[in-house]
């Protein structure tokens, strides 16, 4: 940051703070970056991560101020200052014997407070410890009294969003178990004798909205809207004060170069467990980590370079037919090495996972696992790295070392292979450049077998989407194709540009469709039940196109590009699964859905074999009816779903028994509800078409970036039809002519051509070309025979073939 | 006969042209008579049960219990007790099914096709081979029925009235399997049984003469009143021929249908048109391997060298060699077409088979299926019974691995690398499979104990005694 600040502001003094910074092509990178920023004053933004120090943040603001971004791309709001003391203050008070009664209202400090503050010592020092909490956890174990909390969905309350807007906390049901709501406890602590949470919230909201004591109208509006208008924090004008910033930099930072012996440790809260509070949540445990794809455990993340130095890279085969895995997979289970990381004088132990793209000498310790006092689900999951985290080093620490042990640990990794192997799965292009989107908006059409084979629809290839959806043209094929006669034809479009791979869709689908969890052992066997999955691919441009062996296949990518792709049942118009089911358990309905009749399914699993996308899930055991740790006991295991679990299930969706196949249904229950509602509204009129946007399927509803568009493709004005009309629309494995109703929008990248790590083509494209056009002839979009020419004359270098291939080769490998 | 003009000197052309007498292999050595054959075959049934039979039966029963236990556990607990998972939703279960069904094809080929082709050497082995077919179909049938998730609804596969008024899906190869395998089983049993009627009558009469009324009654029940009358014989021959005619297309069609389980899908490595002839050839190959595995020990134990001669073994070895070579050709052709097609998925599927995770299975398959039968070119090896027996076992091991390679490698690594996985069988799966050898052995041991292991009537027809021109040098 300092180096960049120096470049941008032209202030060399600042640059002197950037000691020990060394990366490849450093000067060039800084120059190009600074120039790019300077060229876009008032339109750019520099942000420092929340874990960074005050100095780094100050430098970031310095750059923003210099570039005139303040007030344009960045606003500052006034946040009420917190008068609370810190945990360190509490620790000091405890040591001084000043603690009488300790009331812990939230969080789990016995588990996740900085280790050097020794919360158990604090608790012991107090005369009485009262814990108010939803779960019995590590802190409850230290407490004298545990007051049961209600869930927030069983309570009245209010909250502020990140920007300060006041939002309500409203109960959905009466408390299932006896407990006290947060307001009831806090209000009493504040001195109120009689507490009615509803009243309290009403008065607070009335005060904020209209300044009165009790404003029922305002309160009802508040509950209806879900917020109080303009109650957020106010934007304030700020200006950059060079002098006070300079006062932060009195001491030059000491810096020791990072290496395998002097590692940097980064503590991260886990994407799913947060600070550990969700350890007992089965859905979150089973949800794979968005990047590592590991579920039920955390692992120590190391870079490929460190992995190689430590000797934990998997062996690989003599003839490597596909890219080497990130780890040894023993019969589908990731066989991780156990390691000990010593940082801040504390040693913690855990399994190691090689993470491509991680900075060479940084080790990531995800927090939130290894809970000791936890419910049945969270027991024995993961490893606790909190002991290594001190108050002074809460986000990162240096001076760490790692030692690999002989012990191994099996991890439940839901995706074994990380490379697209040069296949046209995620189709990407750069925005600019020779083969970029600007010059060639139809870039997705130059990929795959469909790009040089006759069109699937043959003579009907220019038929509008709405007609294709209902008529399913044969395209000169002899095979009979069904006519879809429904008034709606459902389709979905997933935008790979916006998808961030957060897995919200996975959990939403699980919630909506009664998808069971299967437990770590079964996930290791590959039997997770998620109907939608996020595929995560790395591309480093090195995939070897050679058929046999291939040196390029033996490397683990150090600096790859990642591509994410949500995959659920594509509801293919010519579904391969429907052909092969012997009992007609999966058939097509008139509106284009590939339906699954659970009661007809006998479980031959032929449909799953024939699905090219592998989106079908089989109920290998009675996940719902038997405890998932007693599955192999068969009939002698406990039978029946506990009452609480039954209440979790969506009553509109069947709960499947064992032996039955299931898959994404485009939330057919939601579609049916909307159709019924529309028909009721229509009465005798023929107005039974559901207006666009009425139905939101579960994954679409949860997606924070609106990457999923769903609706009626028979209506050319619907959002999904418009998405499918875009040039980047393509079908995954389209050449198979299964005609999936879910299509994707190709991904765009927009790298700065002046940057030294610029790749003129996305790396997945480079790999695709290596694999399919090994002779490196000039790339021709929408070509026909030139491809075959290249195949026939493999050692013939065409005259004047573009430098794209040379360029790709040069920039494809980075370090 | 043309008469040339006789001249004084030796004529350039012979006066009488007689073709050389080509020696035909004698199918029954040592000039055995009809009664010798009857005594030999019936003696096995009438005599005391040999000690080795009890030992084998006990062992077989114990092994068969693995399948029984495995299946009970499977149905009670769920398919999860096997090793299946995404992406390999079929594995040992279907491999075993195809393995056993394939073995059965040799019996039908020997009984039916060789009959229509008038290959008289089939007579000493066809009964046992046909029995092998039926028992193999029984073992095979266990798997498609029990591999389904809800066995108690397996009747949904059959077009019988159901309350949902849903028809079966006749576009599905699994549905075709239902008809193919049931037809195959039915016709095989019929053919085997009809062929046995005269022999059962012989046993009925012998037991009657020996005073054993119960056994005579039981055999008589199944002999259906056979009196050896001319009309009976003419009906028998006609029925036999008709059944042979019906069974012949089954040899080709049943395994073709089974291969359609794969060929009709769209998976790379499965979706090829070579599968029907390739599978049929492979089936006959593995079937003959199993026939050799069974018949060679039987021949020694029961001293049947005069009835199953070296010529018989030679013929069986040659058919094994021929079909094995076809299978080897098919491997090569598959690979060539995968390359020639330039389809990246197809090409990868084959490279992956040879060099990927399951390369070990692939090379076992190649050495057992391509290399092993080539030994049968050499007469010295064909005459070494022990060696032939060992090679026949390799044939079957190789054929099991062929199905494993086809099914599991194609599933484990298919279109989307994110779904790639590794399959390995569970203990339950392994024991269930090996138990089927026990089931097969139990049935086969019961067969050799209680039923005539060779068709006496047909055998007698090929002894020298039966030849009306016996004694003449030429025919």
């Amino acid at each position: 940051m300092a180096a960049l600040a120096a470049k941008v502001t032209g202030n060399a003094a600042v640059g002197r703070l950037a000691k020990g910074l060394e990366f490849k092509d450093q000067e060039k990178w800084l120059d190009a970056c600074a120039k790019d920023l300077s060229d876009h004053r008032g339109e750019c933004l520099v942000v420092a991560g929340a874990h960074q120090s005050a100095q780094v943040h100050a430098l970031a603001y310095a750059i923003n101020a210099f570039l005139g971004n303040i007030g344009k791309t960045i606003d500052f709001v006034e946040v009420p200052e917190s008068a609370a003391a810190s945990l360190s203050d509490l620790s000091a008070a405890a040591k001084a014997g000043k603690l009488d009664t300790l009331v812990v209202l939230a969080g789990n400090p016995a588990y996740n407070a900085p280790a050097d503050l020794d919360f158990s010592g604090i608790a012991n020092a107090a005369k009485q410890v009262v814990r108010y909490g939803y779960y019995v956890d590590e802190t409850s174990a230290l407490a004298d009294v545990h007051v049961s909390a209600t869930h927030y969905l069983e309570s009245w309350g209010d909250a502020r969003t990140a920007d300060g807007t006041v939002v309500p906390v409203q109960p959905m049901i009466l408390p299932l178990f006896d407990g006290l709501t947060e307001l009831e406890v806090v209000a009493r602590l504040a001195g109120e004798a009689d507490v009615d949470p509803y009243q309290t919230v009403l008065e607070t909201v009335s005060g904020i909205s209209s300044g009165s004591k009790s404003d029922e109208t305002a309160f009802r509006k508040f509950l209806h809207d879900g917020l109080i208008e303009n109650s957020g924090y106010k934007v304030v004008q700020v200006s950059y004060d060079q002098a006070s910033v300079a006062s932060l930099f009195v001491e030059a930072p000491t810096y020791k170069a990072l290496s395998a012996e002097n590692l940097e440790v980064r503590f991260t809260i886990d994407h799913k467990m947060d600070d550990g509070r969700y350890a007992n949540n089965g859905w979150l445990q089973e949800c794979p980590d968005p990047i590592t794809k590991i579920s039920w455990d955390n692992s120590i993340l190391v870079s490929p370079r460190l992995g190689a130095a430590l000797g934990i890279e998997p062996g690989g085969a003599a003839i490597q037919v596909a890219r080497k895995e990130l780890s040894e997979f023993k019969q589908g289970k990731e066989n991780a090495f156990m390691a000990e990381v010593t940082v801040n004088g504390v040693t913690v132990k855990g399994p190691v996972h090689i993470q491509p793209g991680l900075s060479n000498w940084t080790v990531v310790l995800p927090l939130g696992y290894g809970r000791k006092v936890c419910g049945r689900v969270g027991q024995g999951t993961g490893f606790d790295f909190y002991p290594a985290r001190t108050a002074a080093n809460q986000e990162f620490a240096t001076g760490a070392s790692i030692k690999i042990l002989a012990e191994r640990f099996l991890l439940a990794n839901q995706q074994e292979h990380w490379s697209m192997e040069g296949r046209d799965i995620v189709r990407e292009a750069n925005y600019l450049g020779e083969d970029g989107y600007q010059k060639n908006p139809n870039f997705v059409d130059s990929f795959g077998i469909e790009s040089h084979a006759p069109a699937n629809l043959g003579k009907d290839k220019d038929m509008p989407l709405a007609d294709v959806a209902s008529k399913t043209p044969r395209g000169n094929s002899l095979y009979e194709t069904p006519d879809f006669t429904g008034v709606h034809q459902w389709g979905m479009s997933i935008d790979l540009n916006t998808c961030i791979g957060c897995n919200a869709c996975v959990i939403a689908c699980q919630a909506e469709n009664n998808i069971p969890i299967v437990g770590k052992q079964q996930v290791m066997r590959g039997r997770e039940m998620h109907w939608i999955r996020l595929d995560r691919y790395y591309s480093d441009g090195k995939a070897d196109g050679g058929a046999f062996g291939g040196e390029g296949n033996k490397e683990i990518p150090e600096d790859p590009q990642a591509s994410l792709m949500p995959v659920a049942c594509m509801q293919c118009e010519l579904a391969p699964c429907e052909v092969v089911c012997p009992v007609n358990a999966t058939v097509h309905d008139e509106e284009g859905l590939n339906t699954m009749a659970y009661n007809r399914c006998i479980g031959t699993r032929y449909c799953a074999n024939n699905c090219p996308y592998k989106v079908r899930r089989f109920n290998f055991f009675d996940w719902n009816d038997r405890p998932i740790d007693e599955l192999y006991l068969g009939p002698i295991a406990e039978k029946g779903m506990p009452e609480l679990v039954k209440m979790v299930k969506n009553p509109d969706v069947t709960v499947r028994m064992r032996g039955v196949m299931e898959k994404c249904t485009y939330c057919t229950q939601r579609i049916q509800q909307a159709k019924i509602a529309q028909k009721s509204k229509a009465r005798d009129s023929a107005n039974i078409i559901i207006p666009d946007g009425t139905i939101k399927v579960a994954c679409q509803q949860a997606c924070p970036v609106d990457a999923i568009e769903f609706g009626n493709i028979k209506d050319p004005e619907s959002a999904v039809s418009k998405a499918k009309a875009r040039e980047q629309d393509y079908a995954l494995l389209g050449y198979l002519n299964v005609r999936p109703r879910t299509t994707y929008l190709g991904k765009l990248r927009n790298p700065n051509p002046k940057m030294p790590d610029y790749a003129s083509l996305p790396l997945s494209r480079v790999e695709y070309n290596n694999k399919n056009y090994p002779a490196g002839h000039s790339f021709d979009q929408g070509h026909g025979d030139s491809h075959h020419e290249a195949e026939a004359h493999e050692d013939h270098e065409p005259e004047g073939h573009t430098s794209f291939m040379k360029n790709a080769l040069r920039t494809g490998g980075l370090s | 006969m043309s008469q040339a003009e006789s001249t004084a000197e030796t004529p350039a052309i012979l006066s009488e042209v007689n073709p050389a007498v080509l020696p035909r292999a004698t199918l029954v050595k040592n000039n055995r008579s009809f009664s010798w054959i009857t005594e030999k075959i019936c003696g096995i049934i009438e005599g005391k049960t040999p000690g080795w039979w009890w030992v084998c039966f006990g062992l077989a029963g114990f092994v068969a219990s693995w399948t029984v236990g495995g299946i009970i556990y499977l149905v009670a607990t769920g398919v999860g007790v096997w090793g299946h998972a995404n992406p390999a939703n079929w594995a040992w279960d279907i491999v075993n099914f195809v393995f056993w069904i394939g073995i059965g094809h040799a019996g039908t080929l020997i009984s039916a096709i060789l009959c229509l082709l008038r290959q008289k050497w089939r007579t000493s082995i066809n009964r046992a081979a046909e029995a092998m077919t039926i028992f193999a179909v029984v073992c095979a049938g266990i798997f498609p029925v029990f591999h389904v998730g809800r066995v108690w609804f397996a009747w949904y596969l059959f077009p019988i009235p159901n309350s949902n008024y849903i028809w079966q899906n006749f576009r599905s190869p699994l549905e075709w399997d239902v008809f193919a395998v049931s037809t195959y089983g039915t016709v095989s049993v019929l053919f085997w049984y009809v062929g046995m009627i005269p022999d059962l009558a012989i046993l009925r009469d012998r037991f009657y003469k020996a005073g054993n009324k119960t056994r005579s009654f039981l055999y008589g029940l199944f002999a259906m009143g056979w009196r050896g009358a001319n009309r009976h014989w003419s009906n028998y021959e006609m029925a036999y021929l008709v059944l042979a005619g019906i069974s012949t297309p089954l040899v080709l069609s049943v395994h073709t249908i089974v291969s359609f389980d794969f060929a009709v899908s769209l998976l790379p490595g499965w979706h090829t048109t070579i599968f029907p002839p390739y599978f049929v050839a492979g089936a006959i190959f593995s079937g003959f391997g199993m026939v050799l595995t069974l018949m060679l020990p039987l021949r020694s134990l029961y001293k049947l060298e005069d009835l199953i001669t070296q010529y018989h073994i030679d013929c069986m070895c040659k058919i094994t060699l021929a079909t094995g070579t076809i299978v080897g050709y098919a491997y090569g052709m598959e690979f060539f077409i995968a390359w020639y097609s330039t389809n990246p998925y197809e090409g990868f599927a084959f490279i992956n088979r040879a060099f990927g995770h399951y390369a070990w299975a692939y090379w076992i398959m190649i050495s057992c299926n391509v290399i092993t039968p080539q030994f049968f070119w050499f007469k010295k090896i064909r005459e070494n019974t022990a060696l032939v027996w060992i090679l026949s076992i390799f044939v079957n091991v190789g054929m099991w691995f062929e199905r494993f390679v086809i099914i599991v490698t194609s599933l484990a690594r298919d279109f989307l690398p994110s779904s790639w996985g590794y399959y390995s069988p569970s203990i339950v799966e392994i024991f269930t499979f090996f138990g089927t050898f026990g089931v097969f052995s139990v049935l086969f041991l019961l067969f050799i104990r209680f039923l005539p292991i060779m068709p006496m009537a047909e055998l007698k027809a090929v002894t020298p005694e039966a030849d009306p021109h016996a004694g003449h040098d030429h025919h």
Side-chain angles (χ1 to χ4, degrees), chain A residues 462-544:
Chain A
D462 294 318
M463 196 186 258
L465 179 61
D467 288 337
V468 171
S470 31
K471 294 198 197 106
T472 325
R474 296 186 189 187
N476 290 331
S477 153
L478 287 175
Y479 288 108
E480 206 180 275
T481 51
D483 268 354
F484 297 125
T485 54
V487 293
H488 312 93
Q489 293 299 328
W490 303 111
M492 185 186 274
S493 172
I494 300 182
D495 190 350
L496 294 177
N497 257 313
T498 46
C499 173
I500 55 176
C502 66
N503 280 340
C505 51
V506 175
I507 298 293
C509 178
Q510 187 155 35
E512 172 72 15
N513 293 299
N514 300 337
I515 297 174
I517 59 168
V518 304
K520 179 178 172 178
Q521 289 304 314
Q522 294 300 312
V523 173
M524 285 205 287
R525 278 210 165 270
R527 295 170 177 169
E528 63 274 3
M529 293 301 285
H530 299 127
W531 289 2
I532 183 169
R533 64 170 193 264
L534 260 301
D535 290 342
R536 177 271 298 124
Y537 297 107
Y538 299 121
S539 311
D540 63 356
K542 288 193 183 149
D544 215 295

Side-chain angles (χ1 to χ4, degrees), chain A residues 525 527 580 605-606 617 632, chain B residues 73 82 84-86 172 261:
Chain A
R525 278 210 165 270
R527 295 170 177 169
V580 296
R605 307 184 293 287
Y606 199 170
R617 300 281 175 263
Y632 287 93
Chain B
Y73 182 47
W82 284 352
H84 295 82
N86 240 9
S172 165
D261 282 351

Side-chain angles (χ1 to χ4, degrees), chain A residues 423 525 527 535 548 578-582 584 598-599 601-606 609-610 614 617 620 632 658, chain B residues 73 75-76 80 82 84-86 89-90 93 147 149-150 167 169 172 261 265-266 348 355 414-415 417-418:
Chain A
R423 300 177 181 191
R525 278 210 165 270
R527 295 170 177 169
D535 290 342
F548 296 88
E578 290 172 11
V579 181
V580 296
C581 174
N584 271 331
Y598 304 121
N599 48 352
C601 175
I602 59 171
T604 59
R605 307 184 293 287
Y606 199 170
N609 288 333
N610 213 26
K614 289 289 174 287
R617 300 281 175 263
F620 283 99
Y632 287 93
R658 75 172 155 99
Chain B
Y73 182 47
V75 178
W82 284 352
H84 295 82
N86 240 9
N89 278 298
W90 278 353
D93 51 349
H147 91 289
R150 301 202 294 171
W167 246 153
N169 180 10
S172 165
D261 282 351
S265 81
L266 45 59
F348 177 77
F355 302 110
D414 63 342
F415 292 101
S418 59

